[in-house]
Amino acid sequence: RIFMTLFALPFLGVGIWATYSISSNLMEAQAMQGWAPVQARVISGGVDSSTDSEGSTTFRAYAEYKYTYARQDYTGTRVGIEGRSDNIGDTHEKRGAELEAAQREGRSIEVYVDPDMPYSSVIYRELRWGMIAFKALFAVLFGGAGLGLIIAANLKKRRIDAAALGTTDAPWLANL
């Protein structure tokens, strides 16, 4: 029982992390809907890529932009809700190309500024549903497997206790 529980804990942990990450993204996206839109000038923008030893390439859109809010100048670097690189869809490549074009053409972009903390801003405040679905897969599969293993380990213990008490025909009597 202890071994199975210890084996299950990392699976449950991944499921809890994925659930937390989804919840955090949802709450952050909701809060950003109240942020103020302002025009910004892109200082630099594009997409970085990196390839690991197995040949898998991940991408991350980046930007540095300047904006003015309440007559004060700020510099921002946050592109989206999540700042990590990944290879889920082509969102980073598209965003990077848009930002690079805006910089090259000298075109301003719209960014969203937190009115309570004007130094906090973001360009894309929309959720990436492909990323949410990917994390949900981890939450359900890993979290479900971990929770299922822990429950199974505890149910097995109760059945063993019921058998030891000679109440296998009525295992609920073992709990009395």
Side-chain angles (χ1 to χ4, degrees), residues 12 15 23 26-27 51 67 69 95 101-102 116 127-128 136 162:
L12 184 61
S23 300
L26 292 171
M27 289 188 299
T51 305
Y67 61 94
Y69 183 79
R95 288 177 176 179
D116 298 327
L127 287 168
R128 292 180 52 208

Side-chain angles (χ1 to χ4, degrees), residues 27-28 30-38 65 67-70 72 74 76 78 111-123 125:
M27 289 188 299
E28 205 167 2
Q30 180 63 34
M32 287 177 178
Q33 298 310 306
W35 288 14
V38 298
Y65 49 91
Y67 61 94
T68 303
Y69 183 79
Q72 190 114 9
Y74 297 94
R78 190 171 184 188
V111 302
Y112 300 91
V113 178
D114 183 346
D116 298 327
M117 296 183 289
Y119 52 84
S120 183
S121 62
V122 68
I123 300 172
R125 63 183 179 175

Side-chain angles (χ1 to χ4, degrees), residues 36-77:
V38 298
Q39 293 299 305
R41 184 172 50 92
V42 179
I43 305 303
S44 66
V47 63
D48 284 332
S49 66
S50 63
T51 305
D52 65 15
S53 61
E54 296 174 5
S56 178
T57 303
T58 59
F59 301 92
R60 184 186 66 82
Y62 69 88
E64 181 179 357
Y65 49 91
K66 294 195 178 288
Y67 61 94
T68 303
Y69 183 79
R71 297 188 198 136
Q72 190 114 9
D73 293 333
Y74 297 94
T75 301
T77 57

